[in-house]
Amino acid sequence: MNRDVHRDTHRVGVLALDGVVPFELAIPARIFGAAVGAGGKPLYSVVTCSLDGGPVRTDADYDITVAQDASVLADVDTLVIPPSHALGVICADGRLPDDLRTALERVRPGTRMVAICTGAFVLAAAGLLDHRPATTHWREAAQLQRLFTTVRVDPNVLFVDDGDVLTSAGVAAGVDVCVHLVRRDHGSAIANDVARMCVVPPWRDGGQAQFIRQPVPQPASGGTAATRAWALDRLDEPLALTDLAAHAQVSVRTLTRRFRDEVGMSPGQWLAGQRIERARHLLETTDWPVDLVARHAGFGTGTSLRQHLHSAVGVAPQTYRRTFRNTAVLTA
């Protein structure tokens, strides 16, 4: 859990800069606002501010009015910076304007920082991404790397979680990183409820490809949706790539190509991710021994589950279980 466990809610601040993109600006309030614990208790409170408390120009044909200025940033636990198409000197030569620098100086040390899309330029200009992995919209990645040479820019992923600093690609990837944070804070059951309420995918791994050349397959080419649904019903079985191809009635090569076109990863990567997600859910919601969780998630043995879970989230199954069992108590 984060440092705010003794508060009623985790306070999320959203900083709206001139030129802000309305869609991404609205994501934190929508996603975090949908996260509730036992009895419908809100788990987050979201406050949106501008630098001076005045109206903010958007990149659409309207302005927005906020009720707070940047002084509220002194009391947030997570700060989200949505993208703007009017970052001026930040994107031109990597400098922060004085008013923005002053606003960021209000943020307490240890506050979790999240940038959506070109919000990464703000964090980079503030020195918060130096020598750290980060991403942004694939179209802006080269400029981010050119301006901030010490940042380890990865243009191919949906989001990067580097602990206290997270960056994401644009648009829907902003949804992904916020759902990911709910999952990280409170576990998969609550994150899945948020996703269901907001009608968004419950889980897309941060390492999934940003740019999928054929996101919607042509009708004549078929698709993998039916095979993915079939596999999800059989995660506890030893599914091979040939089994998936046989169900789809295509060759392994064709299946692999279609998976990459539709979900941005290979069938094996997708299957492993779904099994990790099943294992995490079972660790959070059952008292089953690790070996039994491993069998039901399709890993076969506890040893295999330990290896895969450690690779995915950096902890052993029992440590993961204790963490989210404790979270459930704190949020009840």
Side-chain angles (χ1 to χ4, degrees):
M1 278 297 292
N2 299 300
R3 65 165 183 264
D4 62 318
V5 294
H6 299 300
R7 288 188 179 192
D8 289 334
T9 60
H10 180 107
R11 190 170 169 89
V12 178
V14 184
L15 178 58
L17 301 173
D18 276 344
V20 69
V21 182
F23 180 91
E24 283 95 323
L25 174 65
I27 289 171
R30 192 68 184 94
I31 298 299
F32 294 118
V36 297
K41 174 184 174 183
L43 298 176
Y44 302 88
S45 61
V46 181
V47 57
T48 303
C49 68
S50 64
L51 292 176
D52 59 4
V56 179
R57 293 182 296 107
T58 74
D59 78 332
D61 60 343
Y62 54 87
D63 296 346
I64 61 168
T65 301
V66 298
Q68 306 288 343
D69 63 26
S71 64
V72 300
L73 300 183
D75 192 39
V76 300
D77 303 294
T78 294
L79 172 60
V80 181
I81 302 180
S84 165
H85 289 165
L87 290 178
V89 296
I90 300 175
C91 287
D93 56 21
R95 290 187 296 110
L96 282 180
D98 291 341
D99 55 352
L100 179 52
R101 183 177 297 280
T102 299
L104 294 178
E105 287 173 350
R106 297 176 182 268
V107 179
R108 293 175 299 178
T111 297
R112 185 165 61 187
M113 308 292 284
V114 183
I116 300 175
C117 192
T118 59
F121 283 81
V122 176
L123 296 189
L128 297 174
L129 298 182
D130 290 351
H131 308 290
R132 303 184 76 153
T135 193
T136 188
H137 192 286
W138 59 267
R139 190 175 57 188
E140 309 296 336
Q143 176 70 351
L144 182 66
Q145 188 68 86
R146 186 186 70 79
L147 286 174
F148 307 102
T149 57
T150 66
V151 180
R152 303 201 304 273
V153 179
D154 186 344
N156 300 312
V157 297
L158 292 178
F159 61 85
V160 173
D161 180 345
D162 197 37
D164 60 337
V165 177
L166 297 92
T167 51
S168 81
V171 198
V175 175
D176 293 321
V177 73
C178 289
V179 173
H180 167 76
L181 282 173
V182 174
R183 187 180 310 276
R184 197 177 98 174
D185 290 346
H186 299 289
S188 64
I190 288 176
N192 290 345
D193 286 343
V194 168
R196 186 160 48 248
M197 179 64 69
C198 297
V199 199
V200 298
W203 180 79
R204 290 203 301 171
D205 179 66
Q208 184 168 328
Q210 270 192 46
F211 183 62
I212 302 171
R213 292 185 180 278
Q214 188 182 338
V216 180
Q218 295 298 320
S221 71
T224 65
T227 296
R228 282 181 275 138
W230 176 82
L232 287 175
D233 287 337
R234 295 164 177 79
L235 287 181
D236 58 336
E237 300 176 12
L239 296 173
L241 187 56
T242 51
D243 297 323
L244 299 178
H247 179 271
Q249 298 182 327
V250 296
S251 68
V252 168
R253 181 177 180 179
T254 297
L255 181 79
T256 300
R257 174 177 55 77
R258 289 183 181 175
F259 257 81
R260 291 194 180 280
D261 285 345
E262 293 175 36
V263 298
M265 61 183 71
S266 71
Q269 291 171 324
W270 176 85
L271 189 60
Q274 300 304 316
R275 285 178 163 156
I276 284 290
E277 185 63 15
R278 175 71 58 83
R280 291 169 70 172
H281 178 73
L282 293 174
L283 288 169
E284 294 172 28
T285 59
T286 74
D287 293 316
W288 292 354
V290 170
D291 284 343
L292 184 58
V293 170
R295 288 199 296 274
H296 277 266
F299 288 111
T301 67
T303 298
S304 178
L305 171 58
R306 290 182 186 94
Q307 292 172 343
H308 282 85
L309 189 67
H310 193 276
S311 176
V313 298
V315 297
Q318 292 293 13
T319 302
Y320 184 89
R321 171 173 275 164
R322 284 194 301 271
T323 298
F324 285 108
R325 286 294 170 85
N326 290 340
T327 295
V329 172
L330 289 165
T331 58

